[in-house]
Amino acid sequence: MVELAPSILSADFTHLADQVKAAAEGGGTVIHVDVMDGHFVPNITWGPPVVKSLRKATELPLDCHLMIENPDQYIPGFADAGADWISVHQEACPHLDRTLNLIKSHNCHAGVVINPATPVELLSEVLDVVDYVLVMSVNPGFGAQPFIPNSLHKLRKLRQLRDQLNLNYRIEVDGGIALDTVARVVQAGAEILVAGNAVFSHGDPKNNAGALLKAALEATLQKV
Ligand code: DX5
Ligand code: ZN
């Protein structure tokens, strides 16, 4: 099953609740919340108070993508604010197993994220711990960057490993997902599609989300 996770990074923040509602009406089923600290990535966004407000604005799961150093310090705060899914970067976590279990101890789905330069192989010891793996198809920090095709072989590898090892993590992709890239990522194995620019930057988020999801579903029906 393919799901669309609109990323509010590209939303109009003065009308955030309405923007989220419109993206949901277009078929978005998970709201992706990009948390940036100005250290792990060269940009700053928001913290738990914004998650707390979003929690009142939607019943959809809130997928908090932590692009921050020392995430252990902040995970309880995001969980208390209403996060449903929390993901952390492999590159930011020296004690990744501990961090993932900390997320689970707060009754959230635990995800691990890899940057474009990080191989899937570095996740081999945590694939049985995580609920989802997020493959970055841009270098994190900003919306509206071009898709990096190198992510495709990582999506395929994660799908193969899941079958081989009989695991059940889900596969998410984030960065540059739009009408011209969505079929390729879906056919490579992506099941949760994060999209910011393609949903919120050009016209009606409801129409944009609907068109993207339609293209994704069509891609699942095409033979690869
Ligand atoms: C990038 C963020 C993404 C971002 C994707 O660091 O993790 O979630 O919103 O944006 P688009 O869809 O515009 O590439
Ligand atoms: Zn993200």
Side-chain angles (χ1 to χ4, degrees):
M1 190 181 120
V2 174
E3 287 193 81
L4 180 65
S7 163
I8 60 165
L9 188 63
S10 292
D12 174 353
F13 303 134
T14 57
H15 301 100
L16 193 50
D18 291 341
Q19 295 257 292
V20 166
K21 188 163 175 271
E25 284 169 359
T29 44
V30 177
I31 301 301
H32 187 82
V33 182
D34 286 307
V35 179
M36 305 186 188
D37 67 351
H39 292 277
F40 179 67
V41 288
N43 198 1
I44 297 176
T45 55
W46 44 65
V50 169
V51 174
K52 197 171 175 186
S53 294
L54 277 169
R55 184 68 293 158
K56 293 179 211 145
T58 180
E59 291 184 356
L60 294 180
L62 299 176
D63 169 24
C64 291
H65 173 192
L66 303 189
M67 287 163 273
I68 64 176
E69 289 176 2
N70 193 17
D72 296 36
Q73 188 179 338
Y74 302 99
I75 285 164
F78 282 101
D80 289 349
D84 300 284
W85 306 4
I86 297 178
S87 63
V88 293
H89 273 257
Q90 185 275 339
E91 303 86 359
C93 297
H95 307 290
L96 183 57
D97 177 79
R98 175 189 289 153
T99 304
L100 293 168
N101 280 300
L102 176 64
I103 296 170
K104 289 178 149 189
S105 76
H106 286 273
N107 295 318
C108 293
H109 289 311
V112 66
V113 195
I114 47 173
N115 279 336
T118 303
V120 165
E121 284 71 15
L122 284 180
L123 301 182
S124 61
E125 305 307 316
V126 295
L127 288 178
D128 61 341
V129 178
V130 294
D131 296 296
Y132 61 107
V133 178
L134 170 50
V135 173
M136 290 307 300
S137 42
V138 297
N139 287 294
F142 303 94
Q145 300 182 82
F147 177 76
I148 298 175
N150 195 37
S151 55
L152 293 170
H153 81 86
K154 295 203 257 182
L155 296 169
R156 285 189 210 103
K157 179 94 195 172
L158 283 163
R159 186 167 57 178
Q160 280 165 9
L161 282 171
R162 184 174 60 190
D163 289 347
Q164 275 168 21
L165 303 171
N166 202 20
L167 296 174
N168 50 24
Y169 54 81
R170 300 184 73 201
I171 304 171
E172 184 173 27
V173 68
D174 183 4
I177 305 306
L179 288 175
D180 61 338
T181 53
V182 69
R184 280 182 284 163
V185 295
V186 167
Q187 288 172 357
E191 298 150 335
I192 304 155
L193 312 171
V194 177
N197 184 52
V199 170
F200 292 109
S201 296
H202 315 279
D204 180 15
K206 179 177 172 181
N207 290 343
N208 294 338
L212 198 53
L213 193 57
K214 182 168 176 280
L217 293 172
E218 282 169 5
T220 61
L221 301 175
Q222 284 163 16
K223 284 213 157 63
V224 271

